[in-house]
Amino acid sequence: MKSQTDIKNIPASIAMIFLFVITGINSCTVKTTASESVKDVMDRTVTHLYQTMSEQQLDSLTNDQALALFNENDKEILATRYWMFDVNVPVIVSIMRSEEQKIIPFWLIPSGFVKTDKTMSNEQITYEVWQKKFEAGHVGLGINGFEDYMLHYFVSVAPVNKNDPLQLTNFFPENQYVGTLSDSAFTYHDWTELVLRNVPEDMKGQKLLTTIRGRGTESHLVGAFRKTSFPSSPNPDQVMLTWSADPATTIDIQWRTDTTVQSGKINFREKGTETIQTVAAEKYRMEDRNLMNDRYIYRFTAHLANLKPGTTYEYQIVPATTWSEEYSFSTPANDDSFSFIWTGDTHHSPSIEKLFNQANKSHPEAAFYSIAGDMVSEGLHRDHWDDLFHFTRKIISRKPLMTVLGNHDTRQGLGAKMYRDLFSYPKNAPAGVHPEHTYSFRYKNALFLMIESTAPIDTQKTWIEEQLKTTDATWKFAMFHFAPYNWEESYPDIQAAWIPLFDKYHVDMVMNGHIHYYMRTKPMKAGKVVSSYRQGTVYVESVGIPTKPEKRREEPYTVVRNFNGDLYQYVKIEGNKLSFSAINSDNKVIDSFAIQK
């Protein structure tokens, strides 16, 4: 299981791509314009076909039917405006495409590309090499196909005359990374550990144009369409609490409606009083073009401020909900005692409903909940988020949900725009990382560093150190998805960049997921076991979904390992004492320990 860490900046024009879908089997008659892009063609075709095709027709769309959707002008755009650049001399362009992708893109052979006898590979797949000569000037390449094949083609460029100094300019997508074709070169920014082998000798040294695995979703038609089990309506739902500022005096309330509701606001009051305050909500439209039954929704966010510490509030979403216990929250009192619940990967599993409800029943005083990444299995599929919010609905309308991103939440390198649209978190990320992907917050006497481990690792070192060296918090916690200690993969980049800072400033607990088992380390410092948690850090990995027992290699730094999911962790702070329990969905404690400062 590789880490899929992005150590290079993904081109912004790729990373912000939504999933584009086609919704019928008749050619769209809208006229093509000279400046249209692949995105424009897909957008207008989607709109036309959703108006004309049934769900059954969309579900059964074939590759031939997908191609028949487009007129000749559309096909020209799909064949030439997907990946573009200029060259200053005549060149040979090579396209490396997976041998396992059986359907050849419709444009490849007609445009003059010829399959060679050359191949190259990585640890997963063998790539065949297709080549074509271009004169100096513009090079335009086409879509990866109409299926969502997750090992996208990549490109190399070489001058026809080996003595010509080659220059590549005017890239689309912009900010194209240009590497060198060789053994050990990476081709996908979202999985840089997946490197090339067996590159033909006569191709080594060519300019290598990299991509991301998930970019093929731009033209995904065949098997693309989904339905949500919980479509929106005029009635507010997916009511969720988060913090984007000081938990003692603020809270953010978020909810969803369909697009018939034009505005929203929150009425709130101290419990037991009649004085009502009102806050207008921000509104924005979200789109998931793949959702046949709920393409557009509105998301609302209301920021409540100037709250009183240690106070319970009731709130009402206007214009739909009434006052009820379901919609209430409490601000933290001015003391040094609190508790919280966290778990590892929740993915796309209905078992989370039982787990969260059990945690709430056993620990109703917990101040907030956290998930250590991979909250869903497909981060740009809104139906997955709809399920998660439904499963946790009884909790997150009363307790803030503070999370971090996992590799599944960013979907094959396409970025996490949907995550940013759904959650309201502190915007204090380090430079080079999206706001809300990495953030920190202070709750009473504890500092929480919520770090995106799928973002560049070294970029975040300075921010982590600044957060730790300037805090006077008694307790320091870090949560991120990729675990630096586990039986499968060591993540040497995280161990080199972050662990020395955790050691230097004595982070008390690091909370992780990803490997799908439970593990607690002995106290660790500088990669070695030390005598006490007062000298070293405890690293805990957990999983929120059911798993099967496994026999894995031993880990000498562990205290407890358990290969049975589904688990949540209960952490209680009482001044200078921390108590910890790991509990399964049957309410059985599988591990516990305490730290006394």
Side-chain angles (χ1 to χ4, degrees):
M1 187 181 297
K2 292 291 185 178
S3 67
Q4 305 172 20
T5 306
D6 178 7
I7 61 171
K8 306 287 184 184
N9 288 329
I10 297 172
S13 53
I14 294 178
M16 300 300 289
I17 290 168
F18 283 105
L19 302 178
F20 303 128
V21 299
I22 298 301
T23 57
I25 58 173
N26 297 317
S27 293
C28 181
T29 59
V30 179
K31 184 177 180 181
T32 303
T33 66
S35 61
E36 275 196 310
S37 65
V38 170
K39 179 182 184 302
D40 295 328
V41 170
M42 301 302 280
D43 281 350
R44 62 174 169 75
T45 307
V46 165
T47 300
H48 172 76
L49 294 176
Y50 263 135
Q51 295 169 351
T52 58
M53 293 293 103
S54 69
E55 292 180 358
Q56 183 178 3
Q57 288 173 310
L58 298 177
D59 275 336
S60 61
L61 193 68
T62 67
N63 190 78
D64 288 342
Q65 289 170 336
L67 182 60
L69 296 172
F70 303 100
N71 61 39
E72 292 306 311
N73 288 332
D74 291 341
K75 291 176 184 176
E76 178 68 14
I77 292 170
L78 298 179
T80 62
R81 299 187 191 175
Y82 178 73
W83 202 342
M84 299 181 287
F85 51 93
D86 292 344
V87 295
N88 65 323
V89 296
V91 296
I92 298 173
V93 174
S94 299
I95 287 179
M96 277 62 72
R97 61 179 304 274
S98 167
E99 288 185 340
E100 292 189 3
Q101 187 180 9
K102 300 304 181 184
I103 300 175
I104 298 172
F106 75 91
W107 57 272
L108 194 61
I109 295 173
S111 67
F113 276 88
V114 175
K115 183 181 177 182
T116 72
D117 59 359
K118 303 176 190 291
T119 62
M120 60 188 73
S121 62
N122 57 39
E123 68 179 55
Q124 286 205 342
I125 205 73
T126 297
Y127 294 88
E128 57 194 30
V129 179
W130 294 67
Q131 293 182 330
K132 177 186 175 180
K133 291 182 180 180
F134 287 81
E135 295 299 322
H138 183 71
V139 176
L141 306 177
I143 62 173
N144 195 56
F146 294 120
E147 76 275 40
D148 188 16
Y149 186 75
M150 279 300 176
L151 285 173
H152 196 283
Y153 76 80
F154 57 95
V155 176
S156 71
V157 187
V160 173
N161 180 350
K162 293 184 179 181
N163 295 322
D164 286 345
L166 173 61
Q167 294 181 352
L168 307 181
T169 56
N170 297 327
F171 286 108
F172 178 85
E174 297 176 348
N175 305 316
Q176 173 70 56
Y177 176 78
V178 180
T180 301
L181 185 62
S182 66
D183 290 337
S184 79
F186 76 88
T187 56
Y188 302 116
H189 282 268
D190 59 301
W191 196 348
T192 54
E193 296 87 354
L194 189 67
V195 297
L196 290 175
R197 305 169 177 171
N198 307 312
V199 174
E201 287 297 324
D202 63 345
M203 295 184 68
K204 289 181 178 178
Q206 295 183 2
K207 292 185 182 294
L208 173 64
L209 308 187
T210 56
T211 186
I212 55 176
R213 286 178 298 157
R215 197 190 167 195
T217 55
E218 289 184 63
S219 55
H220 184 198
L221 305 179
V222 177
F225 302 100
R226 295 171 279 106
K227 293 180 68 174
T228 176
S229 300
F230 307 103
S232 62
S233 76
N235 298 317
D237 65 358
Q238 297 186 356
V239 182
M240 176 172 61
L241 305 182
T242 62
W243 290 305
S244 62
D246 183 1
T249 58
T250 71
I251 204 161
D252 293 351
I253 303 175
Q254 299 157 261
W255 66 94
R256 174 190 74 162
T257 70
D258 65 21
T259 55
T260 66
V261 179
Q262 297 305 310
S263 63
K265 61 182 180 180
I266 291 290
N267 289 338
F268 68 101
R269 66 190 181 190
E270 295 181 37
K271 188 173 183 178
T273 69
E274 298 299 326
T275 302
I276 296 174
Q277 301 180 64
T278 301
V279 173
E282 303 168 353
K283 181 188 76 174
Y284 54 97
R285 188 176 76 160
M286 288 185 65
E287 179 183 9
D288 182 344
R289 291 180 175 88
N290 291 63
L291 279 184
M292 296 183 285
N293 63 334
D294 204 30
R295 179 177 178 180
Y296 298 103
I297 63 166
Y298 282 148
R299 292 284 300 183
F300 295 86
T301 303
H303 305 277
L304 279 59
N306 301 314
L307 304 175
K308 296 180 181 179
T311 303
T312 298
Y313 289 88
E314 302 170 311
Y315 65 93
Q316 176 190 51
I317 301 173
V318 180
T321 62
T322 60
W323 301 101
S324 73
E325 184 66 26
E326 179 182 2
Y327 299 127
S328 64
F329 64 89
S330 296
T331 54
N334 188 23
D335 59 32
D336 287 336
S337 297
F338 72 98
S339 62
F340 67 95
I341 302 288
W342 74 275
T343 188
D345 304 33
T346 52
H347 281 282
H348 191 223
S349 173
S351 65
I352 299 308
E353 184 165 11
K354 177 184 177 182
L355 187 71
F356 269 61
N357 289 341
Q358 182 61 59
N360 181 63
K361 180 180 179 182
S362 299
H363 307 285
E365 82 291 352
F368 61 91
Y369 284 63
S370 290
I371 302 173
D374 280 3
M375 292 159 279
V376 294
S377 295
E378 296 288 357
L380 291 182
H381 289 187
R382 212 191 67 235
D383 51 312
H384 282 216
W385 295 104
D386 290 348
D387 288 350
L388 176 67
F389 294 147
H390 179 79
F391 298 150
T392 60
R393 65 195 181 281
K394 295 179 181 179
I395 314 301
I396 63 176
S397 65
R398 295 183 293 113
K399 305 292 180 71
L401 179 62
M402 307 298 287
T403 66
V404 296
L405 281 163
N407 52 292
H408 279 266
D409 306 318
T410 61
R411 184 166 166 74
Q412 307 290 349
L414 287 170
K417 186 180 187 302
M418 191 166 286
Y419 172 85
R420 295 193 297 276
D421 287 347
L422 291 169
F423 293 91
S424 179
Y425 289 143
K427 294 180 173 63
N428 59 354
V433 178
H434 276 293
E436 300 175 288
H437 285 205
T438 289
Y439 60 94
S440 66
F441 68 97
R442 174 77 177 256
Y443 192 92
K444 293 192 177 184
N445 62 341
L447 174 69
F448 291 84
L449 303 185
M450 314 294 282
I451 308 170
E452 184 194 356
S453 56
T454 59
I457 301 302
D458 286 338
T459 298
Q460 304 186 75
K461 285 172 57 177
T462 300
W463 181 88
I464 292 171
E465 180 159 27
E466 185 67 20
Q467 294 289 318
L468 291 173
K469 77 178 182 181
T470 58
T471 187
D472 62 356
T474 303
W475 298 95
K476 304 180 189 74
F477 299 95
M479 176 177 284
F480 50 91
H481 187 57
F482 295 143
Y485 296 106
N486 65 80
W487 66 265
E488 186 176 53
E489 187 166 359
S490 60
Y491 299 101
D493 50 351
I494 292 177
Q495 290 201 11
W498 297 353
I499 285 182
L501 298 176
F502 300 157
D503 293 341
K504 181 177 179 180
Y505 298 100
H506 191 206
V507 169
D508 297 284
M509 182 182 296
V510 174
M511 300 167 282
N512 306 117
H514 189 54
I515 307 296
H516 291 196
Y517 77 129
Y518 177 83
M519 185 272 293
R520 171 167 64 94
T521 70
K522 300 169 184 176
M524 302 293 293
K525 187 172 184 178
K528 298 180 179 180
V529 175
V530 294
S531 60
S532 167
Y533 288 125
R534 284 178 290 184
Q535 283 80 48
T537 298
V538 56
Y539 293 80
V540 181
E541 181 163 351
S542 188
V543 57
I545 58 175
T547 58
K548 295 180 179 180
E550 300 180 76
K551 180 69 174 177
R552 299 299 184 184
R553 65 176 175 82
E554 294 302 315
E555 300 172 84
Y557 46 77
T558 62
V559 179
V560 176
R561 296 201 306 174
N562 188 301
F563 289 94
N564 291 297
D566 38 347
L567 306 166
Y568 71 88
Q569 286 63 236
Y570 172 69
V571 183
K572 184 176 183 179
I573 303 293
E574 297 172 284
N576 289 333
K577 181 181 179 181
L578 179 151
S579 302
F580 175 99
S581 298
I583 306 162
N584 66 23
S585 60
D586 293 325
N587 210 33
K588 179 181 178 180
V589 176
I590 67 158
D591 184 27
S592 63
F593 73 100
I595 302 174
Q596 180 69 55
K597 285 187 177 286

